């Protein structure tokens, strides 16, 4: 698929491989796959949004990286993704509200709030 240069298929591989890498705690690999997908999507007319799933897992991946690193870059990326998940929540509350709440809880946990 990669050799055929089909950007949609390659994006899908990056999305699902990133989720699997996240599940198995391979956060650096997961983050690299998300970043590769973002680079590829810059040249595409449409991106693979998958009803907010890509943003949600991207947020979890970048939160894991922020937790394991002191680099501000990851925190900034989480903020951008959180705003994206909020947009999806407004469009489809029943499908995305729980994703937004989980990301917000993870962020609060990261900064030490225990509400």
């Amino acid at each position: 698929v990669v050799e055929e240069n089909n950007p949609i298929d390659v994006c899908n591989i990056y999305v699902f491989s990133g989720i699997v890498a996240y599940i198995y705690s391979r956060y650096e690999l997961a983050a690299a796959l998300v970043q590769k997908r973002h680079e590829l999507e810059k040249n595409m007319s449409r991106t693979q949004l998958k009803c907010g799933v890509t943003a949600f897992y991207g947020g979890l991946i970048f939160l894991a990286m922020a937790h394991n690193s002191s680099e501000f870059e990851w925190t900034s990326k989480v903020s951008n993704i959180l705003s994206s998940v909020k947009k999806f929540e407004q469009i489809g509350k029943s499908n995305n509200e729980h994703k937004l709440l989980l990301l917000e809880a993870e962020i609060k946990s990261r900064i030490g709030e225990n509400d």
Side-chain angles (χ1 to χ4, degrees):
V1 171
V2 175
E3 292 171 2
E4 293 175 13
N5 257 352
N6 184 336
I8 293 172
D9 290 339
V10 173
C11 264
N12 285 331
I13 289 170
Y14 288 153
V15 167
F16 296 120
S17 298
I19 291 170
V20 170
Y22 172 78
I23 290 170
Y24 286 100
S25 302
R26 301 281 312 273
Y27 303 131
E28 294 84 9
L29 174 59
L33 290 166
V34 170
Q35 290 176 318
K36 283 184 177 186
R37 179 179 53 84
H38 286 173
E39 285 300 314
L40 183 61
E41 287 177 341
K42 287 179 184 177
N43 300 318
M44 295 173 64
S45 59
R46 272 186 24 183
T47 60
Q48 299 292 308
L49 300 175
K50 307 221 183 295
C51 301
V53 172
T54 56
F56 172 69
Y57 275 100
L60 290 176
I61 291 165
F62 291 153
L63 273 169
M65 290 299 294
H67 182 72
N68 293 333
S69 171
S70 61
E71 293 181 34
F72 179 75
E73 168 193 4
W74 302 114
T75 306
S76 172
K77 289 178 188 268
V78 169
S79 177
N80 292 339
I81 285 181
L82 185 61
S83 69
S84 178
V85 173
K86 284 180 181 179
K87 289 177 189 172
F88 281 108
E89 191 265 343
Q90 291 172 354
I91 295 167
K93 188 170 185 140
S94 64
N95 288 329
N96 293 295
E97 182 179 36
H98 63 288
K99 295 172 189 158
L100 176 62
L101 293 172
L102 180 60
L103 280 177
E104 289 175 338
E106 288 291 325
I107 290 168
K108 286 182 180 182
S109 173
R110 167 94 168 96
I111 60 175
E113 289 184 25
N114 296 322
D115 287 343

